[in-house]
Amino acid sequence: SQTIHQWPATLVQPVGSPLSLECTVEGTSNPNLYWYRQAAGRGLQLLFYSVGIGQISSEVPQNLSASRPQDRQFILSSKKLLLSDSGFYLCAWRGTELTEAFFGQGTRLTVV
Amino acid sequence: GENVEQHPSTLSVQEGDSAVIKCTYSDSASNYFPWYKQELGKRPQLIIDIRSNVGEKKDQRIAVTLNKTAKHFSLHITETQPEDSAVYFCAAPPKFNAGGTSYGKLTFGQGTILTVHP
């Protein structure tokens, strides 16, 4: 069966520090991968998505970047965090049929 | 989401009442319409979905109806219970051919905070 791993679950980082959040999927090939951010009590903002290795689509201009070094690995990064980067970050994957999305447990990032 | 509008943003009902959340989409080629439930502090999870070749789908107390002509679909929860309290999201992924612009993109409605009072 397919599983998605996202870590860490919580993270407190100072302003100006770098960020690296990792997401891996098991049990499937060629997944479509997604990074979302959710502010408290708000909706799911699509940040990046990837339909294949090295293919990254960016949805929102910001100081974040994403990479997909392997088929089932999706990494969200920042060189210098801002206070406004605080939020709940969710990784998700969908199969090639593009139906149900499966989400990771999420990372609650607090920038202080 | 840029291709789907969801209403209301908040909904408060008494236990046992029904709740209805509606989403309107713009891409007439969309053919898959899921609903997700996100409990506080948890990840969103699919609760029901419908394809464009049917008008209604039911699963116990939840149902989804689709009106392709009007381009809207709704989530119906009957006999609501306190554990139904959560944020609900809809999506209407655009249908694109592989390799086309925005292929694979998935955005969600703004979300509805449902509160069921005991």
Side-chain angles (χ1 to χ4, degrees):
Chain A
S1 63
Q2 304 92 348
T3 56
I4 178 169
H5 301 281
Q6 182 183 346
W7 66 91
T10 60
L11 190 59
V12 180
Q13 291 284 99
V15 169
S17 64
L19 173 73
S20 180
L21 300 181
E22 187 166 342
C23 175
T24 60
V25 180
E26 296 179 355
T28 187
S29 297
N30 304 315
N32 293 278
L33 298 171
Y34 305 84
W35 277 111
Y36 295 90
R37 178 170 59 200
Q38 187 174 36
R42 304 294 293 275
L44 297 165
Q45 180 188 33
L46 178 62
L47 302 175
F48 301 94
Y49 66 101
S50 171
V51 300
I53 296 176
Q55 300 180 58
I56 307 294
S57 295
S58 175
E59 288 298 297
V60 182
Q62 59 216 327
N63 67 323
L64 299 172
S65 63
S67 62
R68 183 171 178 172
Q70 300 181 44
D71 181 46
R72 290 170 288 180
Q73 184 184 30
F74 206 23
I75 298 173
L76 182 69
S77 303
S78 174
K79 292 182 179 178
K80 288 186 177 182
L81 284 169
L82 306 172
L83 287 174
S84 57
D85 291 323
S86 295
F88 190 48
Y89 288 81
L90 286 156
C91 178
W93 75 273
R94 288 200 295 169
T96 52
E97 69 280 6
L98 296 178
T99 53
E100 180 177 359
F102 299 90
F103 289 84
Q105 65 171 352
T107 296
R108 190 161 302 282
L109 171 67
T110 303
V111 183
V112 296
Chain B
E2 62 190 52
N3 67 318
V4 62
E5 295 292 326
Q6 181 174 345
H7 297 282
S9 56
T10 60
L11 181 58
S12 184
V13 300
Q14 289 296 127
E15 183 176 1
D17 289 349
S18 295
V20 181
I21 304 169
K22 181 177 177 179
C23 283
T24 303
Y25 60 97
S26 58
D27 188 345
S28 57
S30 294
N31 60 355
Y32 174 70
F33 307 94
W35 284 95
Y36 291 80
K37 175 184 180 182
Q38 184 181 25
E39 297 178 353
L40 188 63
K42 301 290 184 61
R43 73 188 85 184
Q45 291 188 298
L46 181 76
I47 55 171
I48 196 167
D49 56 14
I50 193 170
R51 295 184 182 272
S52 59
N53 58 344
V54 297
E56 182 177 1
K57 182 177 178 181
K58 291 186 69 174
D59 183 3
Q60 299 183 330
R61 294 187 298 108
I62 61 172
V64 54
T65 58
L66 171 65
N67 184 327
K68 288 196 300 181
T69 302
K71 291 191 285 188
H72 66 72
F73 58 108
S74 299
L75 176 70
H76 305 256
I77 306 175
T78 59
E79 300 173 33
T80 54
Q81 301 169 3
E83 51 265 38
D84 294 328
S85 296
V87 183
Y88 291 81
F89 294 97
C90 65
K95 182 179 179 183
F96 289 96
N97 295 324
T101 302
S102 299
Y103 174 78
K105 184 176 180 179
L106 176 63
T107 55
F108 292 87
Q110 297 90 333
T112 297
I113 301 174
L114 172 64
T115 304
V116 180
H117 298 281

